[in-house]
Amino acid sequence: MTKARVTVIDIAKAAGVSKSTVSLVLQGSSLVNEGTRSKVNAVMRELGYVYNRGAANLRQAGAKSRIIGVVVNDLTNSFFAELAVGVDMVVQSAGFVQFLSNTSESIDRQREVVASMREHGISGLIVSPARATDAADFKPLVAAGIPVVVVVRNLPGAKVSSIVSDNRAGMMSAVKHLAGLGHKRIAFLGGFPDTAVFDDRLAGYRSGMEAAGLDYHQELVVSSAPSRAGGVEAIGKALVLTDRPTAAVCFNDAVAFGVCDGLRARRLEPGSDFAVVGFDDVIEAQAAVPALTTVSVDPQGIGRRGAQMLLKQISAGKAEAETVTTAVRLVVRESCGAGMSVKIKQDSV
Amino acid sequence: MTKARVTVIDIAKAAGVSKSTVSLVLQGSSLVNEGTRSKVNAVMRELGYVYNRGAANLRQAGAKSRIIGVVVNDLTNSFFAELAVGVDMVVQSAGFVQFLSNTSESIDRQREVVASMREHGISGLIVSPARATDAADFKPLVAAGIPVVVVVRNLPGAKVSSIVSDNRAGMMSAVKHLAGLGHKRIAFLGGFPDTAVFDDRLAGYRSGMEAAGLDYHQELVVSSAPSRAGGVEAIGKALVLTDRPTAAVCFNDAVAFGVCDGLRARRLEPGSDFAVVGFDDVIEAQAAVPALTTVSVDPQGIGRRGAQMLLKQISAGKAEAETVTTAVRLVVRESCGAGMSVKIKQDSV
DNA sequence: TTAAATATTTGGAACGTTCCAATTCTGTCA
DNA sequence: TGACAGAATTGGAACGTTCCAAATATTTAA
């Protein structure tokens, strides 16, 4: 059953050449004679040779494992699944393979996973860090010359490359859109205030309000868990305000869905009675009823971009930390009140 | 920048012992003196030692890489993302890491990916094969003593373990449920007829009809792509039948969503005017309007189960091919006409 | 106090590859 | 024909670990 592995030496013997020659063939060297090459290849096929990257990697002693580590904080979220697919695309076509792990927002698990990947000799790492990740956590990696690209959530203070979507501009355009529909009291709902992403989106909200000539009211921003349940909670608080909002931008789509739930529970129809805009454009956003108006961030694109950046750093051998923010765009669907917009505008004219 | 790797020899030297002793410590052998062990550990921490699994694996020459390959045909589909998460859970807690790749239904890519994984010395493989995968494709792997577990789609003829959900029973219960609501003409919509999964589900449909004492009509089964678009197409064909169906079981949830779209396009409300039942219970199913009645298959559970099975085979060293079908359960929500059911039943009493 | 038993440690020799320096072929030119 | 350049090939010596058999240190029993 457990057949002895067929090695480069076996095939050398069978082909009547030396192991060095076989090795040369393996790496496609131009030094080897055409005839020899094809004979060796034939023998390899015949004996069912499989290349042992571990051994090769051992000798080459460098960052040549051709393995890319990918660590995400929540693979169940289709946003991150898409991201992983994007990474896989470019990584695969560059002849690398991807180690993928899920941390479920646990920093401990993240640490384990990263350590394990390191032991396996990854050539680079793409990570969407778990909440509250210490910026210094990836220090040893970069010190060892392993490029790291942080995506989605940035890690202020860490000297690594990162790709984040333009949270500020996205939220700003959402607010401006709502203002353009005639809304004056626009709430910002959901999200944990201690994260960089929250700060960016909130800043976008403020700029948007300002640009639309609307006042910023502290009570209109109500934070909560960035989840569906959090959305329900947030809209609940917002609706008891003496001067009720008529629209809301939400921290993300999950919150937005929760907000819709909460509205319905109070006999308000999202879209016609209250405008809601999400952020992320997850797959469910367009299938939902009403279809969610949201800021689309193209996670697959981020994945591809991050992978490209990482590969570039790997081949350059130099980890020049760069930060890019990717463009986002507002996708207008129904939840912002496409129909209602006309009515409001007529009223105000 | 590129620091010299610190090896077991370095730490041996620094700790004043031999490399063999360090190695013993590394594998937690009970042979080594407690004092020595802690000294060695201290030095390791101090010098920032990182274990080189490649080298270890090379020596151990066996299936001890602690890498599990996971290959899915469509990671964008949240069903498979969930599955991967399930695998990751058990694999990770057993101290393995997961190589994950996506084939996007391409057999070529699947071949590449599997070959690459093999070169990296995976200890085992979990795969949801791309459509039209040749059963013999995994022969070399098992011949080399690498356990393979096929999930979701089975590969008739391949001598590997597999886990599939109980497609037959699931579809049967769906049909029986609809029949119980008073429906007589129940269609089977969507799916490609050349797949094993299709055959199973169709068989379940037939048994269900039979059990309910309903006739099987060839024209009531209309196949199509197993996608949303396919669903639209299928319901279109079904509605022009002279003797229209009043309900449908669908190949999967995507088809079911398409069927709902198609119904609405014809001014029919899914649920009240026409009952539809899906299969898979993807995340969107419960958030949709109307919430989809569907057969829940717990992809994460399949992932966990598959991983356990694989790990068992790995540790046993023996690949006893076993096939398990996991239980499914019908989740009744709105799209089968929860409200309508009462009415129909009253009518028929 | 010594032999036997047990606990601990230790040098090599692998594992399968790549790299280097050196060697053996070719054919060409004088 | 001999010398020489280039093309093609080749035998070790790594790489960082584990394993084995053997050596050494420490106890225990008599």
Side-chain angles (χ1 to χ4, degrees):
Chain A
M1 169 107 204
T2 318
K3 302 201 170 178
R5 216 183 213 299
V6 18
T7 84
V8 98
I9 297 192
D10 297 321
I11 85 114
K13 216 165 288 177
V17 294
S18 79
K19 60 181 169 36
S20 306
T21 304
V22 177
S23 173
L24 256 13
V25 171
L26 244 20
Q27 24 200 330
S29 163
S30 59
L31 287 179
V32 48
N33 181 291
E34 200 43 60
T36 315
R37 178 198 309 286
S38 56
K39 188 203 299 189
V40 168
N41 277 323
V43 175
M44 288 205 290
R45 248 189 310 278
E46 186 184 340
L47 297 189
Y49 170 75
V50 341
Y51 185 68
N52 184 334
R53 249 171 230 281
N57 189 43
L58 179 56
R59 185 54 173 86
Q60 293 177 158
K64 302 206 63 189
S65 71
R66 315 231 94 191
I67 300 178
I68 300 293
V70 179
V71 175
V72 299
N73 52 291
D74 182 11
L75 193 59
T76 347
N77 185 330
S78 46
F79 180 92
F80 292 104
E82 293 269 346
L83 188 134
V85 170
V87 171
D88 197 44
M89 280 171 141
V90 354
V91 142
Q92 216 174 101
S93 60
F96 284 67
V97 291
Q98 122 173 298
F99 256 142
L100 188 139
S101 277
N102 186 227
T103 61
S104 312
E105 296 288 5
S106 150
I107 342 190
D108 290 337
R109 186 153 258 196
Q110 178 170 286
R111 226 188 298 271
E112 284 171 25
V113 154
V114 171
S116 170
M117 286 180 168
R118 196 162 169 217
E119 292 184 355
H120 281 286
I122 52 171
S123 313
L125 177 69
I126 295 181
V127 55
S128 165
R131 203 169 14 251
T133 295
D134 186 353
D137 263 8
F138 300 106
K139 208 65 163 288
L141 282 210
V142 312
I146 301 175
V148 175
V149 171
V150 169
V151 292
V152 184
R153 300 174 170 179
N154 56 353
L155 232 43
K159 267 192 53 194
V160 297
S161 298
S162 64
I163 304 191
V164 293
S165 45
D166 197 339
N167 293 306
R168 176 178 271 227
M171 205 44 106
M172 194 165 155
S173 69
V175 170
K176 277 155 99 175
H177 177 73
L178 288 173
L181 293 178
H183 291 282
K184 305 265 182 257
R185 292 195 49 93
I186 303 171
F188 179 98
L189 304 180
F192 283 134
D194 62 344
T195 66
V197 175
F198 182 91
D199 291 344
D200 287 348
R201 294 191 181 170
L202 183 56
Y205 165 75
R206 295 188 70 151
S207 319
M209 292 296 272
E210 192 169 341
L214 299 173
D215 292 338
Y216 169 79
H217 295 289
Q218 179 67 50
E219 82 258 17
L220 283 179
V221 359
V222 3
S223 64
S224 76
S227 62
R228 196 157 184 147
V232 175
E233 182 197 331
I235 186 69
K237 288 188 187 154
L239 288 179
V240 298
L241 257 31
T242 48
D243 204 2
R244 268 197 186 186
T246 62
V249 291
C250 302
F251 178 73
N252 66 14
D253 286 349
V255 168
F257 288 133
V259 167
C260 290
D261 292 347
L263 286 168
R264 288 219 182 84
R266 287 167 184 75
R267 304 259 163 249
L268 292 172
E269 187 55 23
S272 47
D273 300 329
F274 189 101
V276 4
V277 178
F279 207 113
D280 278 357
D281 195 18
V282 300
I283 302 229
E284 299 91 323
Q286 64 177 315
V289 175
L292 195 64
T293 292
T294 186
V295 177
S296 175
V297 310
D298 184 20
Q300 200 167 304
I302 292 185
R304 278 196 301 266
R305 187 110 181 229
Q308 280 155 358
M309 189 185 259
L310 189 68
L311 292 181
K312 201 181 67 191
Q313 294 188 2
I314 289 174
S315 62
K318 188 71 186 15
E320 188 79 42
E322 63 182 305
T323 298
V324 349
T325 79
T326 65
V328 298
R329 103 199 123 81
L330 183 71
V331 178
V332 177
R333 287 197 270 248
E334 302 161 13
S335 68
C336 59
M340 179 178 67
S341 68
V342 182
K343 201 182 63 186
I344 291 189
K345 280 218 168 154
Q346 286 176 332
D347 283 355
S348 59
V349 165
Chain B
M1 170 110 202
T2 318
K3 302 200 170 180
R5 220 184 208 301
V6 18
T7 84
V8 98
I9 298 194
D10 296 322
I11 85 114
K13 215 165 289 176
V17 295
S18 79
K19 59 181 168 33
S20 306
T21 304
V22 177
S23 172
L24 255 13
V25 171
L26 244 19
Q27 22 200 330
S29 162
S30 60
L31 286 180
V32 47
N33 181 292
E34 198 43 59
T36 316
R37 177 199 310 287
S38 56
K39 189 202 301 187
V40 168
N41 278 325
V43 175
M44 289 206 287
R45 246 190 311 278
E46 186 183 340
L47 297 190
Y49 170 74
V50 340
Y51 186 67
N52 185 333
R53 249 171 231 282
N57 188 42
L58 179 56
R59 185 54 174 85
Q60 295 177 158
K64 302 206 65 191
S65 73
R66 317 231 92 191
I67 301 179
I68 300 294
V70 179
V71 175
V72 299
N73 52 290
D74 182 12
L75 192 59
T76 351
N77 185 329
S78 48
F79 180 92
F80 292 105
E82 292 269 347
L83 188 134
V85 170
V87 171
D88 197 43
M89 279 171 140
V90 353
V91 142
Q92 217 174 100
S93 60
F96 284 67
V97 292
Q98 132 174 288
F99 255 144
L100 186 140
S101 276
N102 186 227
T103 62
S104 311
E105 296 288 8
S106 151
I107 342 188
D108 290 336
R109 186 154 258 198
Q110 178 170 285
R111 227 187 300 270
E112 285 172 24
V113 154
V114 171
S116 170
M117 285 180 169
R118 199 165 166 213
E119 291 184 355
H120 282 286
I122 53 171
S123 314
L125 178 70
I126 294 181
V127 54
S128 164
R131 201 165 23 247
T133 295
D134 186 354
D137 263 8
F138 300 106
K139 209 65 163 288
L141 281 210
V142 311
I146 301 176
V148 175
V149 171
V150 169
V151 292
V152 184
R153 300 173 171 180
N154 56 352
L155 232 42
K159 267 192 53 195
V160 297
S161 298
S162 63
I163 303 191
V164 293
S165 45
D166 197 340
N167 292 306
R168 176 178 271 227
M171 205 45 107
M172 194 164 156
S173 67
V175 170
K176 277 156 99 175
H177 177 72
L178 288 174
L181 293 178
H183 292 282
K184 304 265 184 257
R185 291 194 50 91
I186 302 170
F188 179 98
L189 304 180
F192 284 133
D194 62 342
T195 65
V197 175
F198 182 90
D199 292 345
D200 287 348
R201 293 189 182 171
L202 183 57
Y205 166 75
R206 295 189 69 151
S207 319
M209 291 298 271
E210 193 169 341
L214 299 173
D215 292 339
Y216 169 78
H217 295 290
Q218 179 68 50
E219 84 259 15
L220 283 179
V221 359
V222 3
S223 63
S224 76
S227 61
R228 195 154 184 151
V232 175
E233 181 197 332
I235 185 69
K237 288 189 186 154
L239 289 180
V240 297
L241 257 31
T242 48
D243 204 2
R244 268 197 185 186
T246 62
V249 291
C250 302
F251 177 73
N252 65 15
D253 286 349
V255 168
F257 288 132
V259 166
C260 290
D261 292 346
L263 286 168
R264 289 218 180 86
R266 288 168 185 74
R267 306 260 162 248
L268 292 172
E269 187 55 24
S272 46
D273 300 329
F274 190 101
V276 4
V277 177
F279 207 113
D280 279 355
D281 195 17
V282 299
I283 302 226
E284 299 91 323
Q286 63 178 317
V289 175
L292 195 64
T293 292
T294 185
V295 178
S296 175
V297 311
D298 184 20
Q300 199 167 306
I302 292 185
R304 278 196 302 264
R305 186 110 181 227
Q308 280 156 358
M309 189 186 259
L310 189 69
L311 292 181
K312 200 182 68 192
Q313 293 188 2
I314 288 173
S315 64
K318 188 75 189 9
E320 189 79 44
E322 63 182 306
T323 298
V324 348
T325 80
T326 65
V328 298
R329 101 200 125 80
L330 182 70
V331 178
V332 177
R333 287 196 270 248
E334 303 161 11
S335 68
C336 60
M340 180 176 69
S341 68
V342 183
K343 201 182 60 182
I344 293 190
K345 279 216 166 154
Q346 287 177 332
D347 284 353
S348 59
V349 166

